[in-house]
Amino acid sequence: MGDSLEDLPALDGHVRFDDAARARAADDFGHLVRHRPLAVLEPGSVDDVAVMVRYCHERGIPVAPRGQGHATGGQAQAPQGIVIDMGTLCGVEVGDDHAVVEAGALWSGLLRATLRRGRTPPVFTDYLELSVGGTLAAGGVGGAAHRYGAQVDNVTELEVVTGTGERTTCSNTRRADLFDAVLSGLGQCAIITRATVRLLPAPTAVRYYRLLYPSLAALTADQRTVVRDGRFDHVEGQVDAGEPLYQLEVATFAKAPDDAGLLGDLAYERGSERIEDLPYADFLDRLAESVELLESLGEWACPHPWLNVFLPGTATDAFVTSALADLTPADLGLSGVILLYPLRRSLLRTPLLRVPDEELIFLFTLLRTSSPGAADPAAMVAANRAVYELVQAIGGTQYPVGTIPTTPAAWRRHYGPQWPRLAAAKHRYDPAGILTPGHHVFGS
Ligand SMILES: Cc1cc2nc3c(=O)[nH]c(=O)nc-3n(C[C@H](O)[C@H](O)[C@H](O)COP(=O)(O)OP(=O)(O)OC[C@H]3O[C@@H](n4cnc5c(N)ncnc54)[C@H](O)[C@@H]3O)c2cc1C
């Protein structure tokens, strides 16, 4: 093992060779793919990232940055390589209209820091304990994305370390090819070390509405309406295939919300509504309680073969109806969740976040948990693969944070017209092909 890591450079942080560090880096929230790295770098500085990547570049050693390891298919792993645990780089500087945040910081930490100045990033994921670098490598979609685009659409500048170990800054106006290759770029061309994130004045209170619908068609009709007219600050949706149960989750940040005006023309079942007033931070952290419960039940530690796809709006009702018709409780697991979020394509401007070619699209997820008694993980992964084939046939795409085995040829189809630019950026910025092999985009 040590043979391939001779002459390690001097570093501010630590390189760990112990079993505990390597085993942790060989696991993720999916618990399905396990590749041990040779070592784990806990960088003491951004320079450490550059020095280590340069070392690996010269020797052809694979490198993967790891945020919180919440990917579900080995995406942050580096077989026989180095995993860089970005968690040690977590500084935050907050200005009036932007924050500069190190990539290993959690969104919960960024939120706390910005709220002290009465500011907030525009878009959060539902779960806040994800790293900034981890979600910016993918996209970062949540209930405010229908209004502000994904988290990647709200980044104005990045500091990165490319696959040759060059530390540099990029934006829309400076090395734009690199900027475009890194946001939603799955860590293929560079490691994000710092991001400049747009900030808005933070709301103080939130009125949160959960409304039940008699059918999928009624739910999606109202999702389309409220996304088009923009009456809510937050729009999501959830389906329970067993009951069945169709729920719209919406929220307003208005100071004196007009319930009748907001809800009056919506077709939910009267009497089903749950309405709560919450402080903004509690609203954003609303999953924390469920996570605690899932941890106590052991569900959080089960394998999670997740499917996350974007569907064209016009095909969504038929597609979801047919996907749910085939789904048994064992296919989803005890704590499995089905989400359906409406989004507007024109706000999703990041070139590598591949979404269907219609203005109104839906993020559809089957967040499967291979709980005791549920289908085994391999069957769930195979089912994801089969669903993904159907998604592609209707013009849908995958949101690549899940567990859908994808070949380099399939990635080429996924990126479509963006493929030549991504391939050129890979050739230019990671010529040795060492960065982030776990997605298998370039055949590693
Ligand atoms: C409970 C849960 C809830 C979630 N909710 C949402 C949600 O609401 N919305 C949403 O959009 N997603 C959601 N996700 C998916 C999540 O955004 C992605 O899986 C994200 O990549 C995980 O972040 P992480 O810090 O754990 O990254 P990791 O799993 O550590 O890494 C993910 C990928 O990003 C790469 N990466 C990590 N850091 C960097 C960096 N600094 N530079 C370049 N590449 C990097 C890794 O190499 C890997 O390929 C959720 C996931 C979980 C488990």
Side-chain angles (χ1 to χ4, degrees), residues 293-366:
L293 176 68
L294 294 176
E295 282 172 345
S296 71
L297 293 173
E299 287 284 290
W300 200 248
C302 288
H304 293 103
W306 280 9
L307 174 105
N308 304 259
V309 292
F310 293 111
L311 303 175
T314 52
T316 293
D317 287 21
F319 186 88
V320 173
T321 302
S322 126
L324 298 188
D326 294 341
L327 202 73
T328 67
D331 294 329
L332 204 57
L334 182 64
S335 59
V337 178
I338 303 169
L339 303 174
L340 194 60
Y341 296 179
L343 297 162
R344 289 169 53 195
R345 185 188 197 282
S346 52
L347 298 177
L348 302 169
R349 297 196 188 92
T350 297
L352 292 184
L353 182 60
R354 304 302 298 152
V355 294
D357 202 7
E358 281 185 15
E359 174 55 6
L360 218 137
I361 61 172
F362 284 84
L363 173 69
F364 172 57
T365 76
L366 297 175

Side-chain angles (χ1 to χ4, degrees), residues 29 65 67-71 75 125-127 131 134 141 192 300 399 439:
F29 190 72
Q68 288 298 301
H70 278 92
Q75 290 92 333
T125 49
D126 295 336
Y127 180 55
S131 77
V141 181
I192 301 166
W300 200 248
Y399 177 40
H439 291 276

Side-chain angles (χ1 to χ4, degrees), residues 260-293:
L262 288 168
L263 306 183
D265 62 341
L266 301 183
Y268 63 94
E269 287 169 345
R270 294 299 186 261
S272 74
E273 60 272 31
R274 280 188 288 163
I275 305 179
E276 251 181 294
D277 287 321
L278 295 167
Y280 179 62
D282 292 4
F283 169 71
L284 292 178
D285 201 22
R286 65 198 175 281
L287 276 199
E289 217 174 286
S290 318
V291 170
E292 239 174 71
L293 176 68

Side-chain angles (χ1 to χ4, degrees), residues 28-30 63-72 74-77 84 86 102-107 124-143 151 182 185-188 190-194 236 287 291 300 304 306 308 339 341 363 367 399-402 436-439:
D28 57 32
F29 190 72
V63 191
R66 175 186 164 101
Q68 288 298 301
H70 278 92
T72 58
Q75 290 92 333
Q77 298 180 22
I84 303 184
M86 299 298 292
E102 289 188 320
L106 305 186
W107 284 95
F124 285 90
T125 49
D126 295 336
Y127 180 55
L128 300 181
E129 311 310 321
L130 304 167
S131 77
V132 168
T135 71
L136 296 185
V141 181
Q151 288 175 330
V182 175
L186 307 180
Q188 297 304 300
I191 297 176
I192 301 166
T193 51
R194 274 195 188 97
E236 295 189 341
L287 276 199
V291 170
W300 200 248
H304 293 103
W306 280 9
N308 304 259
L339 303 174
Y341 296 179
L363 173 69
L367 304 183
Y399 177 40
V401 298
T436 319
H439 291 276

